[in-house]
Amino acid sequence: MKGYPTTFLGLFDPPTSDRPAITQIEIPIIQRDYAQGRKDDEATLIRDRFLDALIAAARSDEGMGLDFIYGELRSGVLRPLDGQQRLTTLFLMHWYIASRAQTLDSNAAWLCFSYATRPTARSFTAALATHPYPGESQTPSEWITDQPWYLYPWRQDPTIASMLVILDAIHIRFAGRDDEFTAIWQRLERRPTESSPGAIWFLFLPVEDMEYGEDLYIKMNSRGKPLTPFEVFKADVETIIKEADPARYRHLAESIDGAWTDVLWSYEKLYGGDKTVDDEFMRYLTFIVEICEWRDGAPERRWRDKDSRQLLPLEERARLALADPGNGYAERNRDFFFHAFDTWVGTDPAEVFNGLFAVGKTRNDSLPLFSSTSDLLGACLTRYGSEFSAQETLLLFAVLLARQAGETLTTGDVQRRLRSLRNITAAFLDRDRYMSDYVASTERLILQGVFDGMAGFRDYWVTDESLKWRWMDQHPEVIPAIHELEDNLLMRGRIQAIDLQPEMLSTRARAFDEVSERTLRDLFGATLLTKGDYSRDVKWGGKVRQLGSSQKDDSWMDLLTTGKREDLAFIRDPLMALLDDYSARRSSGSAEGKETLDAIRSEWLAERESRSYFDWRYYLSRYEGARSSVGDGYFHNKTYDQTLGGFSYRHLRILYGGSYVSRFSDALLRAAWVEGGLRDVVEEPNWFREDDPGLRLKGSAVEIHCMEDGFRVDVPHERPDVSATVRSVLDQFAATGDGLVPVQQSFNGIRQVDSEDRIQLCVRLVRMLVAD
């Protein structure tokens, strides 16, 4: 579809080329009421800015472009499908200026402007054509509504009411300028030339196929109605670029309503939104402006002042980023602004991103992302500012940088650097404090391929990325294994917990992929305990420890990825031992993963049982009820001491949150509750803010407390009737006078260790108490 640059008056000129002739403009029924004169705050703000720009252009030689205006053209009648609001404002402004310049000719072609939406609006515009405003002391609205030709029904027409507001607003802006109207009208009469498009110009697109026109109406109006924040921002950006980079202004004016809209419209159709791309434009533009701010290293430009900490309007932030004379990076930012849109023109962005990234495991060269989509552009257009993560922001920026660098980067360079960026950003990023550092480090990594000076990111992750690069350069045969480990959901790019021995790496990677599968998560944690105490010191002087949760990935990520490589021996040594044992059994024809893990665990448990050695690792490995299934895998034990073998028996608590403010359980009592199937007769050992809770029998309220050397049975004061029964049971367990049922123990040279299974003892005790 061919476009013709023209002005409002020029629309009605006899065509000198292949442009069809226009004899009348009629706003069609499908259009809404004229809305630029509404009196709400948003409309007032947008109207003021639009009129200021129009009148500034009319009073100077700078000119102003209004983008595309198009519509169906039949028998000389133009029915606008896009641009009715702008055309109506231009009609009113031309009528006002022609009236004041005393050049209003009722026979002028441009006065053939009417509305099909309402008969009242149609008759009103016809009346204006024959009644010039004399410019007396009355405002236009006062003068018009006081005329005998002003009809009473017109008072109820919202379009006419809006027109009157616009005329008054125009009148206010020309106050005291009576001597300028002739010169202004002469400027408006100038037609576009190759050197000058006109004072106020636009590109006219005639549509002769109505079915195509209706489809185009939906698409082109995906830019949104004029009374939107995007329209205001778009006009401001055009002004900003025109002043700062005139050579690119025409490209911007043509692209923002053309090729750029096409790119965003493809996503609007895909996601089935509101049939506009205003929101998509604003989200992407916000992304671009914020990237420029972070890249400049001057994020304070985002704020109005340091005291109020209020955001400046986006258009002002765009001016500071793209055109501020004091910003030495403005030209670079303009390059990035244009590139961020132009790079997707003529492409399928989703296809590009799906070639770079994938969601979940992949067997091709695509880099798995730990998010819901691989199409970062689509995610930015729909979620930026709300649920678009800092990692996604940096990865999208990185892709744009790589595309802007072009052939200076090889495909291998881009893939390797994007992978490392994914790895070091796959964790909490402090967007408010360090985003400028993150952006600078991202640019350094993508364009230069170096890790030196990577500010913002955790040093030990960056150091490990550098180590992996050197390792892969020295041992290229391990690259697939390293990538397999990095792509695991529990590692998320950070493999400090894996020994990088090249001869073992491939088998360990395969083994880890199998044993870390979600359905095996609980068994994996239980079996890992057979290779050692892999608990992580979380807080409280080492008294709160973390083990892997069967339900929560985060607990495993904490264990496997938090800290320097040299600090992760506590889990690396047991993990490597388990993976090697697992691999050896699988290579010798062992059964599938679950059976292999079960065999490792069962053999270890049997060995402990054969020598009557029941420490905390035995109990947590054997009994599911003693392990953490919810929360972050936190355990608390007041007397945990690694030199004495780790956890003791008393007050070994599963924390469902991070402390006793959340709910918690006694791990060993809960093991007995689950193992014995005691739900019907015993309350679940799950408490909240209690100092020393016990296992409470539902019928008698008798409580059983786990002690270091046995179980203490307490009879509540209000139940003296059960004391004799309880005493008779305790006698059968050789209990002491204070109700302690002892557990057989032996000294291992360091501390007392159970030599009988206290969980089974507790189950027998409960059943006898309930039975009696």
Side-chain angles (χ1 to χ4, degrees):
M1 181 168 46
K2 184 176 180 180
Y4 305 88
T6 187
T7 64
F8 182 75
L9 297 180
L11 272 177
F12 297 87
D13 289 346
T16 57
S17 62
D18 57 347
R19 195 203 82 183
I22 297 174
T23 58
Q24 180 183 352
I25 295 176
E26 180 184 77
I27 306 302
I29 293 176
I30 64 171
Q31 294 282 10
R32 62 175 178 160
D33 292 323
Y34 180 53
Q36 287 192 348
R38 291 176 180 170
K39 296 182 179 181
D40 59 87
D41 292 342
E42 181 181 7
T44 299
L45 174 63
I46 296 173
R47 174 175 65 250
D48 288 346
R49 297 171 69 89
F50 185 48
L51 289 179
D52 287 344
L54 281 180
I55 292 171
R59 295 183 60 246
S60 70
D61 293 324
E62 292 185 0
M64 177 184 180
L66 294 181
D67 308 318
F68 293 95
I69 288 177
Y70 76 96
E72 178 202 11
L73 187 57
R74 290 187 180 180
S75 303
V77 179
L78 169 64
R79 295 179 175 85
L81 297 174
D82 180 80
Q84 68 111 341
Q85 302 281 329
R86 284 167 286 163
L87 286 172
T88 302
T89 301
L90 288 174
F91 167 76
L92 295 172
M93 189 180 80
H94 281 72
W95 175 82
Y96 177 87
I97 293 172
S99 295
R100 300 298 304 276
Q102 298 182 3
T103 59
L104 186 67
D105 179 0
S106 60
N107 294 316
W110 63 270
L111 287 168
C112 295
F113 184 94
S114 67
Y115 267 72
T117 54
R118 297 174 185 266
T120 48
R122 182 166 58 249
S123 58
F124 178 76
T125 54
L128 287 182
T130 59
H131 296 91
Y133 169 58
E136 297 176 350
S137 58
Q138 290 179 301
T139 65
S141 64
E142 292 172 338
W143 178 79
I144 290 171
T145 57
D146 193 42
Q147 297 305 302
W149 47 266
Y150 183 76
L151 304 178
Y152 182 82
W154 293 355
R155 301 182 183 185
Q156 309 303 318
D157 189 320
T159 288
I160 295 175
S162 187
M163 289 179 176
L164 294 175
V165 170
I166 288 290
L167 287 171
D168 284 351
I170 294 171
H171 178 68
I172 290 171
R173 284 161 174 77
F174 281 110
R177 300 183 183 276
D178 292 356
D179 57 338
E180 294 187 26
F181 287 110
T182 298
I184 292 173
W185 182 253
Q186 290 173 352
R187 283 201 252 331
L188 292 178
E189 283 187 311
R190 294 174 189 165
R191 302 310 196 254
T193 64
E194 291 186 4
S195 60
S196 174
I200 301 169
W201 64 277
F202 47 84
L203 199 64
F204 169 57
L205 302 176
V207 180
E208 299 183 69
D209 182 342
M210 189 55 196
E211 290 185 2
Y212 173 65
E214 290 177 350
D215 178 70
L216 191 61
Y217 171 70
I218 296 174
K219 178 178 177 182
M220 293 295 288
N221 271 283
S222 67
R223 294 182 306 101
K225 300 299 182 183
L227 293 179
T228 67
F230 168 62
E231 282 292 334
V232 178
F233 182 80
K234 179 166 67 71
D236 285 327
V237 166
E238 289 178 352
T239 301
I240 290 167
I241 298 300
K242 185 175 182 180
E243 294 175 355
D245 201 344
R248 284 178 164 172
Y249 168 66
R250 190 172 187 86
H251 175 58
L252 172 65
E254 293 175 352
S255 298
I256 201 166
D257 280 314
W260 296 357
T261 291
D262 289 342
V263 172
L264 272 61
W265 175 245
S266 66
Y267 282 98
E268 175 61 27
K269 290 194 297 183
L270 179 65
Y271 294 118
D274 56 2
K275 303 304 181 186
T276 74
V277 292
D278 281 28
D279 292 340
E280 287 84 351
F281 258 118
M282 291 304 291
R283 292 188 191 103
Y284 195 42
L285 289 164
T286 302
F287 161 80
I288 293 169
V289 169
E290 291 191 340
I291 286 290
C292 291
E293 291 170 338
W294 291 319
R295 202 176 179 191
D296 291 350
E300 67 276 4
R301 287 189 180 134
R302 297 178 59 196
W303 310 105
R304 180 172 289 111
D305 59 65
K306 292 183 179 179
D307 294 328
S308 66
R309 300 284 289 175
Q310 292 181 338
L311 278 172
L312 290 168
L314 186 61
E315 53 268 27
E316 175 60 15
R317 292 166 60 190
R319 186 191 68 78
L320 291 170
L322 304 177
D324 182 15
N327 183 1
Y329 300 109
E331 183 176 358
R332 178 196 66 183
N333 292 342
R334 290 195 297 274
D335 290 342
F336 180 74
F337 167 79
F338 279 94
H339 167 73
F341 281 102
D342 286 340
T343 190
W344 306 121
V345 174
T347 73
D348 181 347
E351 183 177 325
V352 172
F353 281 102
N354 290 335
L356 289 170
F357 305 114
V359 176
K361 293 181 180 179
T362 178
R363 296 301 177 188
N364 54 33
D365 292 332
S366 299
L367 175 64
L369 298 183
F370 310 114
S371 58
S372 59
T373 180
S374 58
D375 184 358
L376 296 179
L377 179 62
C380 180
L381 296 177
T382 55
R383 294 191 278 110
Y384 191 79
S386 57
E387 298 176 357
F388 195 69
S389 70
Q391 182 190 45
E392 290 172 315
T393 299
L394 295 173
L395 284 170
L396 176 55
F397 172 54
V399 171
L400 290 169
L401 282 177
R403 291 176 68 85
Q404 193 171 18
E407 295 181 357
T408 61
L409 297 180
T410 67
T411 301
D413 289 336
V414 174
Q415 290 174 332
R416 188 184 211 189
R417 296 171 190 182
L418 285 176
R419 173 172 283 274
S420 284
L421 180 64
R422 181 210 64 175
N423 294 346
I424 61 177
T425 58
F428 170 74
L429 298 177
D430 193 335
R431 193 184 193 113
D432 293 331
R433 296 180 61 189
Y434 299 118
M435 203 63 180
S436 286
D437 288 337
Y438 299 151
V439 166
S441 295
T442 296
E443 184 167 2
R444 187 174 178 81
L445 173 61
I446 297 300
L447 297 184
Q448 300 178 37
V450 296
F451 291 104
D452 297 336
M454 292 278 287
F457 299 116
R458 296 184 183 180
D459 291 341
Y460 50 83
W461 290 346
V462 175
T463 300
D464 213 60
E465 282 303 306
S466 180
L467 172 65
K468 284 188 290 184
W469 278 25
R470 293 196 302 272
W471 204 256
M472 289 187 289
D473 289 342
Q474 295 169 9
H475 305 281
E477 72 277 7
V478 304
I479 292 176
I482 287 179
H483 288 179
E484 183 176 7
L485 287 165
E486 289 176 337
D487 296 343
N488 189 284
L489 283 173
L490 300 189
M491 295 288 195
R492 302 206 174 197
R494 305 180 297 277
I495 61 173
Q496 303 97 289
I498 301 294
D499 194 321
L500 296 179
Q501 291 175 266
E503 66 276 10
M504 303 292 293
L505 202 53
S506 294
T507 57
R508 285 172 173 172
R510 286 194 298 271
F512 186 77
D513 184 61
E514 292 181 16
V515 302
S516 64
E517 200 273 324
R518 182 176 293 276
T519 60
L520 299 181
R521 199 69 53 77
D522 180 60
L523 179 58
F524 168 47
T527 308
L528 186 57
L529 277 172
T530 69
K531 302 301 182 181
D533 175 3
Y534 72 90
S535 65
R536 182 174 80 100
D537 179 359
V538 179
K539 56 183 177 179
W540 296 355
K543 305 306 181 184
V544 176
R545 316 289 299 182
Q546 186 176 33
L547 295 169
S549 167
S550 63
Q551 300 296 322
K552 201 165 184 182
D553 291 351
D554 289 353
S555 68
W556 286 103
M557 282 189 285
D558 290 343
L559 286 161
L560 295 165
T561 68
T562 303
K564 301 176 182 178
R565 175 172 288 273
E566 54 267 30
D567 295 334
L568 293 183
F570 72 90
I571 191 170
R572 181 166 52 248
D573 293 344
L575 181 59
M576 296 304 100
L578 175 60
L579 297 180
D580 291 347
D581 189 356
Y582 179 90
S583 297
R585 292 170 186 256
R586 294 282 278 121
S587 65
S588 63
S590 180
E592 294 299 320
K594 181 179 185 302
E595 288 75 12
T596 302
L597 288 174
D598 260 334
I600 295 172
R601 184 175 69 121
S602 297
E603 290 176 13
W604 182 83
L605 293 174
E607 189 279 330
R608 290 289 175 111
E609 291 161 1
S610 70
R611 57 189 178 96
S612 299
Y613 193 89
F614 305 101
D615 64 350
W616 69 271
R617 285 171 56 204
Y618 172 86
Y619 291 130
L620 266 64
S621 180
R622 175 174 175 180
Y623 295 108
E624 179 183 355
R627 299 191 290 270
S628 175
S629 59
V630 295
D632 291 304
Y634 287 0
F635 287 76
H636 175 242
N637 188 227
K638 295 178 181 178
T639 54
Y640 178 91
D641 189 333
Q642 197 168 43
T643 64
L644 297 178
F647 290 120
S648 59
Y649 301 114
R650 188 181 184 192
H651 293 159
L652 176 52
R653 305 287 176 65
I654 304 172
L655 303 180
Y656 297 121
S659 70
Y660 289 103
V661 174
S662 303
R663 302 195 72 83
F664 66 98
S665 291
D666 184 296
L668 301 181
L669 290 178
R670 191 173 191 281
W673 184 76
V674 173
E675 171 71 10
L678 304 176
R679 179 182 299 273
D680 292 338
V681 295
V682 178
E683 294 177 6
E684 181 179 0
N686 187 323
W687 308 290
F688 179 73
R689 287 186 176 177
E690 291 188 26
D691 293 333
D692 192 16
L695 200 63
R696 179 174 295 181
L697 278 61
K698 291 182 177 180
S700 63
V702 169
E703 289 186 349
I704 301 173
H705 299 265
C706 188
M707 310 300 289
E708 192 62 30
D709 54 354
F711 295 100
R712 191 184 75 241
V713 180
D714 291 339
V715 177
H717 296 299
E718 63 274 15
R719 294 299 305 272
D721 55 304
V722 301
S723 296
T725 302
V726 170
R727 186 69 254 177
S728 67
V729 172
L730 294 182
D731 288 343
Q732 298 179 57
F733 285 88
T736 62
D738 59 356
L740 179 70
V741 175
V743 175
Q744 295 178 29
Q745 294 182 323
S746 60
F747 188 67
N748 69 352
I750 301 176
R751 63 163 38 159
Q752 292 293 123
V753 178
D754 289 353
S755 55
E756 70 171 318
D757 187 332
R758 70 167 57 217
I759 305 303
Q760 298 300 323
L761 173 64
C762 184
V763 172
R764 293 196 305 271
L765 176 61
V766 170
R767 287 176 176 168
M768 290 185 67
L769 288 170
V770 172
D772 288 351

